[in-house]
């Protein structure tokens, strides 16, 4: 008679853990298959190209309905995968872990686990890469993440802007249909095609539909004048003179600071070293030294502040001799803003009215509150008392206190830095309001005609529900735009809540990508939730093998001011987990693009989605 085998408490505990893990993973597998069967009709509507990816997304959604943390800890203790990287290949991950658990118990593996899952470990990442190439083009040689750049208005008339961006590493040129017009867009495209030929590179063209974006209307214009001011230190000593461009073609001048339109008489005679003399609005005589002259402009320097208006007379002197006379032509009115502080009232009014600041009497009592127009009239039908409202990316927050047929009153509850200036064309967010708006406006439908002829990709703004995508697909077919790739911009609470169904609906029309519009999302959902939300979007898109565009305020300080903040550098590095990063326009966009490409190149060796890549570290050598 054989002696009875005795087990240690550790061995018994391990056997119990294995058995519990087998039951848990088996139940997860059944849940995934059950949801697949439940959504069979919706899955069958997806394109055959996306079908297996759609199944994988559904499996992932089923798994994430459960809290897996305790199971993960047990799997780690057993030396197995924690399922922490299963997004791209859900069933393959579950089957691999189950198979390993059965082997640990020395039990026969069920036949269904011996069959290879349709999306195996290698197939999932390959599908994501193929889908990214299909819509965004090939990845750069230096790094896997593409770079999308928003093109400024000036690029229509200045080919060098697009040439430099393409040379620096732009992979997708983004045209925002909320700005400019088809004539300008066509010029931008022609400039891109010319740059492609010269550099031997290719670049996709993406159009962002304006959508029913809530924005502030125009504000009453200010006086027509321009002020220039040299830079001085705290002691009033001159550091840098003001540089003034007198030009017959102001739009062609790259540096927009202190550009003044003139008739052009002095351009034929001016030489470096000459002096331009004028009298400003305060009766002060000003003497400007000419430092550069070309066919369209005369560039001067001044060490004095000046205010000038239209029709100001200019005199060109060489030494004491008068050489020529000229006149400043029509100056644009100065843009105005509404000053707001906590506790102020702001009337938001339906229609294209000109906004204005509050009006006070001589004793400081308010006669009229400040007012601003709103670009979307349907808002006035849907807003309710007590709902929150944000302006200008959340810089100004308020609560709706009164609602009337054509206007509503907002009480300002908080303002960044105590006082803020609300300008025209700034975004409005209503996170508590259910807006019954179509995703496509009449303008969008008109713009699609042009986009279908010249674009590669079109981004659907303000998408909220699957019906928005279905209508969008109908319009694409109408304009023969079936070849266009589709970008879903996730920029509000409704879109985030509906993301799984939005993805499954959009998978009827590949190729497809998702843009994480983090500026609007942060305002809508609260910036404290933004990190969590953008992670969840990345996970769901990876499960669906859909490429992601990391957008809004990436290196914004650098693009606009020439120097990034420490937080922006970290944010740009996080963007390497997406298939594309978007830069917005700015005076230093070339510099920001070069900086971003360098960050992406460095991060590629360290990070792949959620996985840390363990390349050799130079600092590991003692």
């Amino acid at each position: 008679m054989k002696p009875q085998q005795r087990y240690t408490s550790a061995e018994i505990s391990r056997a119990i853990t294995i058995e519990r893990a087998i039951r848990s993973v088996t139940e997860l597998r059944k849940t995934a298959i059950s949801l697949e069967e439940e959504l069979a009709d919706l899955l069958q509507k997806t394109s055959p190209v996306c079908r297996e990816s759609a199944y994988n997304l559904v499996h992932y959604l089923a798994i994430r309905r459960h809290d897996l943390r305790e199971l993960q800890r047990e799997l780690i203790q057993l030396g197995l995968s924690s399922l922490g990287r299963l997004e791209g290949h859900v069933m393959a991950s579950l089957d691999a872990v189950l198979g390993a658990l059965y082997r640990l118990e020395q039990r026969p593996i069920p036949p269904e686990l011996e069959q290879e899952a349709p999306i195996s470990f290698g197939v999932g990442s390959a599908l994501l890469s193929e889908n990214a190439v299909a819509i965004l083009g090939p990845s750069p040689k230096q790094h896997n993440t593409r770079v999308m750049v928003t093109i400024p208005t000036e690029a229509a008339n200045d080919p060098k802007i697009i040439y430099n961006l393409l040379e620096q590493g732009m992979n997708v040129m983004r045209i925002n249909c909320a700005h400019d017009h088809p004539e300008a867009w066509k010029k931008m495209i022609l400039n891109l095609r010319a740059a492609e030929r010269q550099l031997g590179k290719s670049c996709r063209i993406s159009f962002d539909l304006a959508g029913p974006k809530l924005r502030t209307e125009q504000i009453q214009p200010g006086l027509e004048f321009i002020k220039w001011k040299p830079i001085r230190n705290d002691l009033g000593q001159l550091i840098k003179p003001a540089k003034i461009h007198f030009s017959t073609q102001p739009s062609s001048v790259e540096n927009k600071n202190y550009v003044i339109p003139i008739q052009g008489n002095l351009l034929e005679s001016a030489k470096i070293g000459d002096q331009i003399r004028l009298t400003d609005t305060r009766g002060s005589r000003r003497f400007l030294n000419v430092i550069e002259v070309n066919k369209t402009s005369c560039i001067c320097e001044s060490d004095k502040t000046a205010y000038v208006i239209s029709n100001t007379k200019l005199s060109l002197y060489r030494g004491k001799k008068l050489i020529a006379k000229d006149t400043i032509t029509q100056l644009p009115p100065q843009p105005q803003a509404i000053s707001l502080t906590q506790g102020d009232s702001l009337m938001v009014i339906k229609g294209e009215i000109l906004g204005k600041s509050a009006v006070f009497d001589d004793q400081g009592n308010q006669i009229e509150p400040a007012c601003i127009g709103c670009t979307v009239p349907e808002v006035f039908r849907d807003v309710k008392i007590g709902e929150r409202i944000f302006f200008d990316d959340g810089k100004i927050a308020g609560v709706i206190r009164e609602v009337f047929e054509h206007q509503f009153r907002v009480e300002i509850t908080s303002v960044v830095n105590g006082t803020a200036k609300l300008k025209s064309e700034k975004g409005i967010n209503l996170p508590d309001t259910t807006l019954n708006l179509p995703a496509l406006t009449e303008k969008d439908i008109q713009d699609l005609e042009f986009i279908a002829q010249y674009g590669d990709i079109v981004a659907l703004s303000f998408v909220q529900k699957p019906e928005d995508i279905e209508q969008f697909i109908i319009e694409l077919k109408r304009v023969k735009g079936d070849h266009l790739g589709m970008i879903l911009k996730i920029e509000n609470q409704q879109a985030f809540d509906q993301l799984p169904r939005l993805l499954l609906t959009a998978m009827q029309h590949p190729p497809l990508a998702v843009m994480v519009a983090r500026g609007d999302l942060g305002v809508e959902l609260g910036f404290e939730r933004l990190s969590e939300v953008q992670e969840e979007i990345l996970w769901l898109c990876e499960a669906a093998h859909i490429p992601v565009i990391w957008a809004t305020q990436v290196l914004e300080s650098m693009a606009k001011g020439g120097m990034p903040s420490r937080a922006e550098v970290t944010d740009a590095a996080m963007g390497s987990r997406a298939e594309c990063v978007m830069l917005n326009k700015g005076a230093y966009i070339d510099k920001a693009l070069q900086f971003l490409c360098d960050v992406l190149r460095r991060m590629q060796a360290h990070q792949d989605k959620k996985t840390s890549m363990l390349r050799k570290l130079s600092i590991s050598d003692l």
Side-chain angles (χ1 to χ4, degrees), residues 235-279:
L235 298 177
Q237 298 165 331
L238 182 68
I239 297 176
K240 184 178 180 181
K243 185 178 289 187
I244 300 99
H245 295 250
F246 291 106
S247 177
T248 54
Q249 298 179 15
S251 61
S252 67
V253 180
E254 290 185 22
N255 182 359
K256 288 294 183 180
N257 293 328
Y258 313 141
V259 179
I260 300 176
I262 58 173
Q263 292 177 350
N265 301 333
L266 62 79
L267 294 180
E268 299 177 3
S269 306
K271 294 182 179 179
I272 295 173
D274 289 349
Q275 192 178 75
I276 293 178
R277 301 178 184 179
L278 60 88
T279 302

Coordinates of all heavy atoms in Angstrom, one line a residue, residues 235-279:
L235 N 14.3 99.2 -15.7 CA 14.9 100.5 -15.5 C 14.5 101.5 -16.7 O 15.0 102.6 -16.7 CB 16.4 100.5 -15.3 CG 16.8 99.6 -14.0 CD1 18.4 99.6 -14.0 CD2 16.3 100.3 -12.7
G236 N 13.8 101.0 -17.6 CA 13.4 101.8 -18.8 C 14.5 101.8 -19.8 O 14.3 102.6 -20.8
Q237 N 15.5 101.0 -19.7 CA 16.6 101.0 -20.7 C 16.2 100.2 -21.9 O 15.6 99.1 -21.8 CB 17.9 100.5 -20.1 CG 18.4 101.4 -18.9 CD 19.4 100.7 -18.1 OE1 19.4 99.5 -18.0 NE2 20.3 101.5 -17.5
L238 N 16.5 100.6 -23.1 CA 16.2 100.0 -24.3 C 16.9 98.6 -24.5 O 18.1 98.5 -24.3 CB 16.5 100.8 -25.6 CG 16.1 100.3 -26.9 CD1 14.6 100.2 -27.1 CD2 16.7 101.1 -28.0
I239 N 16.1 97.6 -24.7 CA 16.6 96.2 -24.9 C 16.5 95.9 -26.4 O 17.5 95.4 -27.0 CB 15.9 95.2 -24.1 CG1 16.1 95.4 -22.6 CG2 16.3 93.8 -24.5 CD1 15.3 94.5 -21.7
K240 N 15.4 96.2 -27.0 CA 15.2 95.8 -28.4 C 14.2 96.9 -29.0 O 13.1 97.0 -28.5 CB 14.6 94.4 -28.5 CG 14.4 93.9 -30.0 CD 13.9 92.5 -30.0 CE 13.7 92.0 -31.4 NZ 13.1 90.6 -31.3
P241 N 14.6 97.5 -30.1 CA 13.7 98.5 -30.8 C 12.5 97.8 -31.4 O 12.5 96.6 -31.7 CB 14.5 99.2 -31.8 CG 15.6 98.2 -32.1 CD 15.9 97.4 -30.9
A242 N 11.4 98.5 -31.6 CA 10.2 98.0 -32.3 C 10.6 97.9 -33.8 O 11.2 98.8 -34.3 CB 9.0 98.8 -32.1
K243 N 10.1 96.8 -34.4 CA 10.4 96.6 -35.8 C 9.0 96.8 -36.6 O 8.1 96.1 -36.3 CB 10.9 95.2 -36.1 CG 11.3 95.0 -37.6 CD 12.0 93.6 -37.8 CE 13.3 93.5 -37.2 NZ 14.0 92.2 -37.5
I244 N 9.0 97.8 -37.5 CA 7.8 98.1 -38.2 C 7.9 97.8 -39.7 O 8.9 98.1 -40.3 CB 7.5 99.6 -38.0 CG1 7.3 100.0 -36.5 CG2 6.2 100.0 -38.8 CD1 8.5 100.6 -35.9
H245 N 6.9 97.1 -40.2 CA 6.9 96.8 -41.6 C 5.9 97.7 -42.3 O 4.7 97.6 -42.1 CB 6.4 95.3 -41.8 CG 7.4 94.3 -41.3 ND1 8.2 93.5 -42.1 CD2 7.7 94.0 -40.0 CE1 8.9 92.7 -41.3 NE2 8.6 93.0 -40.1
F246 N 6.4 98.7 -43.1 CA 5.5 99.4 -44.0 C 5.4 98.6 -45.3 O 6.4 98.4 -46.0 CB 6.1 100.8 -44.3 CG 6.0 101.7 -43.1 CD1 7.2 102.0 -42.4 CD2 4.9 102.3 -42.7 CE1 7.2 102.9 -41.3 CE2 4.8 103.1 -41.6 CZ 6.0 103.4 -40.9
S247 N 4.2 98.2 -45.7 CA 4.1 97.3 -46.8 C 2.9 97.6 -47.7 O 1.8 98.0 -47.2 CB 4.0 95.8 -46.3 OG 3.8 94.9 -47.3
T248 N 3.0 97.3 -49.0 CA 1.9 97.4 -49.9 C 1.1 96.1 -49.9 O 0.0 96.1 -50.4 CB 2.4 97.7 -51.3 OG1 3.3 96.7 -51.7 CG2 3.0 99.1 -51.4
Q249 N 1.7 95.0 -49.4 CA 1.0 93.7 -49.3 C 1.2 93.1 -47.9 O 2.0 92.2 -47.7 CB 1.6 92.7 -50.4 CG 1.4 93.2 -51.8 CD 2.0 92.2 -52.8 OE1 2.3 91.1 -52.5 NE2 2.1 92.7 -54.0
P250 N 0.4 93.7 -47.0 CA 0.6 93.2 -45.6 C 0.4 91.7 -45.4 O 1.1 91.1 -44.5 CB -0.4 94.0 -44.8 CG -0.7 95.2 -45.7 CD -0.6 94.7 -47.1
S251 N -0.4 91.1 -46.2 CA -0.7 89.6 -46.0 C 0.5 88.8 -46.3 O 0.6 87.6 -45.9 CB -1.9 89.2 -46.8 OG -1.6 89.4 -48.2
S252 N 1.5 89.3 -47.1 CA 2.6 88.5 -47.4 C 3.8 88.6 -46.4 O 4.8 87.9 -46.5 CB 3.2 89.0 -48.8 OG 3.7 90.3 -48.7
V253 N 3.6 89.5 -45.4 CA 4.6 89.7 -44.4 C 4.5 88.6 -43.3 O 3.4 88.4 -42.7 CB 4.6 91.1 -43.8 CG1 5.6 91.2 -42.7 CG2 4.7 92.1 -44.8
E254 N 5.5 87.8 -43.1 CA 5.4 86.7 -42.2 C 5.2 87.1 -40.7 O 4.4 86.6 -40.0 CB 6.7 85.8 -42.3 CG 6.8 85.0 -43.6 CD 8.0 84.1 -43.6 OE1 8.4 83.7 -42.5 OE2 8.4 83.7 -44.7
N255 N 6.0 88.1 -40.3 CA 5.9 88.7 -39.0 C 4.7 89.7 -38.9 O 4.8 90.7 -39.5 CB 7.2 89.3 -38.5 CG 7.1 89.8 -37.1 OD1 6.1 89.7 -36.4 ND2 8.2 90.4 -36.6
K256 N 3.6 89.3 -38.3 CA 2.4 90.1 -38.3 C 2.5 91.3 -37.3 O 1.6 92.1 -37.3 CB 1.2 89.3 -38.0 CG 0.8 88.3 -39.2 CD 0.4 89.1 -40.4 CE 0.0 88.2 -41.5 NZ -0.5 89.0 -42.7
N257 N 3.5 91.3 -36.5 CA 3.6 92.4 -35.5 C 4.0 93.7 -36.2 O 5.0 93.8 -37.0 CB 4.7 92.1 -34.4 CG 4.2 90.9 -33.6 OD1 3.1 90.7 -33.3 ND2 5.2 90.1 -33.2
Y258 N 3.2 94.8 -36.0 CA 3.5 96.1 -36.5 C 3.6 96.1 -38.0 O 4.6 96.6 -38.6 CB 4.7 96.7 -35.8 CG 4.8 96.5 -34.3 CD1 6.0 96.2 -33.7 CD2 3.7 96.7 -33.5 CE1 6.1 96.0 -32.3 CE2 3.8 96.5 -32.2 CZ 5.0 96.2 -31.6 OH 5.0 96.1 -30.2
V259 N 2.6 95.6 -38.7 CA 2.6 95.6 -40.2 C 1.6 96.8 -40.5 O 0.4 96.7 -40.1 CB 2.1 94.3 -40.8 CG1 2.0 94.4 -42.3 CG2 3.1 93.2 -40.4
I260 N 2.1 97.7 -41.3 CA 1.3 98.9 -41.6 C 1.1 99.1 -43.1 O 2.2 99.1 -43.8 CB 1.9 100.2 -41.0 CG1 2.0 100.0 -39.5 CG2 1.2 101.4 -41.4 CD1 2.7 101.2 -38.8
P261 N -0.1 99.1 -43.6 CA -0.3 99.3 -45.1 C 0.0 100.7 -45.5 O -0.4 101.7 -44.9 CB -1.8 98.9 -45.3 CG -2.4 99.3 -44.0 CD -1.4 99.0 -42.9
I262 N 0.7 100.9 -46.7 CA 1.0 102.2 -47.2 C 0.6 102.2 -48.7 O 0.5 101.1 -49.4 CB 2.4 102.6 -47.0 CG1 3.4 101.5 -47.7 CG2 2.8 102.7 -45.6 CD1 4.8 101.9 -47.7
Q263 N 0.6 103.4 -49.3 CA 0.4 103.5 -50.8 C 1.5 102.9 -51.6 O 1.4 102.3 -52.6 CB 0.1 105.0 -51.2 CG -1.2 105.5 -50.6 CD -1.3 107.0 -50.9 OE1 -0.4 107.7 -51.4 NE2 -2.5 107.5 -50.7
G264 N 2.8 103.1 -51.1 CA 3.9 102.5 -51.7 C 4.9 103.5 -52.4 O 5.8 103.1 -53.0
N265 N 4.6 104.8 -52.3 CA 5.5 105.8 -53.0 C 6.9 105.7 -52.6 O 7.8 105.9 -53.4 CB 4.9 107.2 -52.8 CG 3.5 107.3 -53.3 OD1 3.1 106.6 -54.2 ND2 2.7 108.2 -52.8
L266 N 7.1 105.5 -51.3 CA 8.5 105.6 -50.8 C 9.3 104.3 -51.1 O 10.6 104.3 -51.0 CB 8.5 105.8 -49.3 CG 7.9 104.8 -48.3 CD1 8.7 103.6 -48.0 CD2 7.5 105.6 -47.0
L267 N 8.7 103.2 -51.5 CA 9.4 102.0 -51.8 C 10.4 102.1 -52.9 O 11.5 101.5 -52.9 CB 8.5 100.8 -52.1 CG 7.5 100.4 -50.9 CD1 6.6 99.2 -51.3 CD2 8.4 100.0 -49.7
E268 N 10.1 102.9 -53.9 CA 11.0 103.1 -55.1 C 12.2 103.9 -54.7 O 13.3 103.7 -55.4 CB 10.2 103.9 -56.2 CG 9.0 103.1 -56.7 CD 8.3 103.9 -57.7 OE1 8.8 105.0 -58.1 OE2 7.2 103.5 -58.2
S269 N 12.2 104.7 -53.6 CA 13.3 105.6 -53.3 C 14.1 105.2 -52.0 O 15.2 105.5 -51.9 CB 12.8 107.0 -53.1 OG 12.1 107.4 -54.3
A270 N 13.4 104.4 -51.1 CA 14.0 104.2 -49.8 C 15.3 103.3 -49.9 O 15.4 102.4 -50.8 CB 13.0 103.5 -48.9
K271 N 16.2 103.6 -49.1 CA 17.5 102.8 -49.0 C 17.8 102.6 -47.5 O 17.4 103.4 -46.6 CB 18.6 103.6 -49.7 CG 18.5 103.7 -51.2 CD 19.7 104.4 -51.8 CE 19.6 104.5 -53.3 NZ 20.8 105.2 -53.9
I272 N 18.6 101.6 -47.2 CA 19.0 101.3 -45.9 C 19.8 102.6 -45.3 O 20.7 103.1 -46.0 CB 19.9 100.1 -45.8 CG1 19.1 98.8 -46.2 CG2 20.5 99.9 -44.4 CD1 19.9 97.6 -46.3
G273 N 19.4 103.0 -44.2 CA 20.1 104.2 -43.6 C 19.2 105.4 -43.7 O 19.5 106.4 -43.0
D274 N 18.2 105.4 -44.5 CA 17.2 106.5 -44.6 C 16.4 106.6 -43.3 O 16.4 105.7 -42.4 CB 16.3 106.4 -45.8 CG 17.1 106.6 -47.1 OD1 18.2 107.0 -47.1 OD2 16.5 106.3 -48.2
Q275 N 15.6 107.6 -43.2 CA 14.8 107.8 -42.0 C 13.4 108.2 -42.5 O 13.2 109.1 -43.4 CB 15.4 109.0 -41.2 CG 14.7 109.1 -39.8 CD 15.4 110.2 -39.0 OE1 15.2 111.4 -39.2 NE2 16.2 109.8 -38.0
I276 N 12.4 107.6 -41.8 CA 11.0 107.9 -42.1 C 10.5 108.7 -40.9 O 10.7 108.3 -39.7 CB 10.1 106.7 -42.3 CG1 10.5 106.0 -43.6 CG2 8.6 107.0 -42.3 CD1 9.8 104.7 -43.9
R277 N 9.9 109.9 -41.2 CA 9.4 110.7 -40.1 C 7.9 110.8 -40.2 O 7.3 110.9 -41.3 CB 10.0 112.1 -40.2 CG 11.5 112.1 -40.2 CD 12.1 113.5 -40.4 NE 13.6 113.5 -40.4 CZ 14.4 114.5 -40.6 NH1 13.8 115.7 -40.7 NH2 15.7 114.4 -40.6
L278 N 7.2 110.9 -39.0 CA 5.8 111.0 -38.9 C 5.4 111.7 -37.6 O 6.2 111.8 -36.7 CB 5.1 109.7 -39.1 CG 5.4 108.6 -38.0 CD1 4.5 108.7 -36.8 CD2 5.3 107.2 -38.6
T279 N 4.2 112.1 -37.5 CA 3.6 112.6 -36.2 C 2.5 111.7 -35.8 O 1.5 111.4 -36.6 CB 3.1 114.1 -36.4 OG1 4.1 114.9 -36.9 CG2 2.5 114.6 -35.1

